[in-house]
Amino acid sequence: MNTIQDYLSSGAIDIAPLLSLVLNKTNVELVTHSNYPLTFLEKQTLDDFIKQRTNGTPFSYISGKKGFYHLDFNVTPDTLIPRPETELLIDIALDLFPKNYPCKLLDMGTGSGIIAVTLADKNPNWQVTATDYSSKALEVAKSNTTRTIEFLQGNWFDPVASQQFDLIISNPPYIEEGDAYLDDLTYEPISALTAGKDGLDDIRTIINQAPNYLSKSGFLLLEHGYDQQAKIVELLSIKFTNIQKFKDYNNMDRSILAQKK
Ligand code: GLN
């Protein structure tokens, strides 16, 4: 195979974005330069990418990038690939406070940093802290920052002992151990995906401890699994009030907001 057109007609999975990536050309340029013959090195790189993609490596781990909200994020196999439904957390958080309120925000299990970085970028006067258990994930998150963020390594609230926040957000692991859906996610870090038999182990920890780290009437905002909302409302109702439930853009129950009693 030689030209862009040869590759485009090969039917290889994600061939157009892979060509764009290797040749640094837009979709339109691929068509307008379809007779361009690839160099030996370009072919070598592309053939390697095609092989990885055919074997199941997600495109974002090949490109090392994924768009989220208004920014482009570096991702590696140490971080989940950002999901579009997590943008819901951003929309909810952006509506919570008056425009110039200097919100003190904690993003727990930040991964590639999408929640902390997006909100800090949108609200430069917010004071943002982001934590993760994985120091490798924190390195990725740091590479994505556009504003000052405090990054701390550790398990859930351990790194922020004795601090209080106006808003705590987390997209924690929430898939049930052994869920068949995980078979499709074998390239992503399992520690960022599963949380015990019912998928609620981490959410329980967060809900139980969050009141100690929230300022008066502070907010807790969580992403969760499509079938976990009722159980989470029950857990929250002990120490939280004003519980609001949200559906994602696929009309699935996906996140919940609550205010400390
Ligand atoms: N929403 C992700 C998925 O469905 C899971 C992320 C998570 O467990 N927080 O793949």
Side-chain angles (χ1 to χ4, degrees):
M1 278 194 277
N2 264 318
T3 64
I4 289 178
Q5 185 52 50
D6 292 333
Y7 274 99
L8 282 176
S9 45
S10 71
I13 182 164
D14 283 341
I15 187 62
L18 289 173
L19 275 162
S20 294
L21 181 65
V22 173
L23 303 177
N24 197 19
K25 290 191 193 303
T26 64
N27 255 337
V28 171
E29 286 167 342
L30 291 182
V31 176
T32 53
H33 296 76
S34 64
N35 291 328
Y36 171 81
L38 276 73
T39 65
F40 176 78
L41 270 179
E42 287 166 344
K43 278 198 269 190
Q44 214 175 27
T45 309
L46 182 60
D47 289 343
D48 174 51
F49 286 179
I50 291 171
K51 200 178 294 166
Q52 289 185 51
R53 190 70 195 92
T54 307
N55 290 338
T57 304
F59 181 80
S60 292
Y61 287 153
I62 299 173
S63 66
K65 297 274 181 200
K66 179 73 183 176
F68 179 83
Y69 223 81
H70 65 304
L71 297 170
D72 226 6
F73 285 82
N74 300 320
V75 294
T76 75
D78 292 309
T79 66
L80 279 192
I81 298 166
R83 310 287 202 264
E85 57 267 30
T86 304
E87 294 185 348
L88 182 59
L89 297 180
I90 306 296
D91 289 333
I92 297 166
L94 288 175
D95 275 351
L96 279 180
F97 302 98
K99 197 158 174 23
N100 290 315
Y101 185 82
C103 170
K104 204 166 175 298
L105 164 71
L106 171 63
D107 170 23
M108 285 192 302
T110 194
S112 59
I114 50 169
I115 296 169
V117 172
T118 303
L119 287 172
D121 197 71
K122 286 273 176 195
N123 300 283
N125 61 333
W126 283 21
Q127 196 182 321
V128 179
T129 302
T131 67
D132 206 285
Y133 189 71
S134 159
S135 39
K136 287 183 173 168
L138 281 178
E139 288 309 311
V140 178
K142 283 178 194 168
S143 79
N144 285 320
T145 51
T146 59
R147 312 267 179 184
T148 307
I149 292 176
E150 181 179 37
F151 289 101
L152 300 170
Q153 191 271 329
N155 202 24
W156 302 125
F157 294 98
D158 292 352
V160 294
S162 79
Q163 290 195 54
Q164 294 209 313
F165 300 87
D166 302 309
L167 170 61
I168 297 173
I169 305 185
S170 187
N171 172 18
Y174 54 68
I175 299 173
E176 294 174 19
E177 270 167 18
D179 191 314
Y181 169 62
L182 295 166
D183 295 346
D184 296 334
L185 307 178
T186 51
Y187 287 81
E188 297 188 84
I190 191 80
S191 60
L193 290 167
T194 60
K197 281 201 171 56
D198 62 357
L200 287 168
D201 280 8
D202 291 311
I203 285 180
R204 266 189 290 269
T205 303
I206 293 169
I207 290 176
N208 285 337
Q209 296 185 21
N212 303 328
Y213 302 89
L214 281 169
S215 52
K216 189 170 177 291
S217 305
F219 294 96
L220 175 64
L221 174 59
L222 297 172
E223 183 173 312
H224 59 73
Y226 68 95
D227 56 355
Q228 296 173 329
Q229 209 162 60
K231 185 73 206 169
I232 294 173
V233 169
E234 197 183 311
L235 293 168
L236 281 168
S237 56
I238 304 167
K239 292 181 186 161
F240 289 86
T241 179
N242 294 334
I243 298 172
Q244 286 183 62
K245 302 174 270 181
F246 298 86
K247 287 183 189 291
D248 66 20
Y249 311 111
N250 292 318
N251 214 29
M252 309 287 253
D253 291 340
R254 186 59 64 198
S255 55
I256 199 150
L257 174 72
Q259 211 166 4
K260 184 175 154 178
K261 268 184 190 167

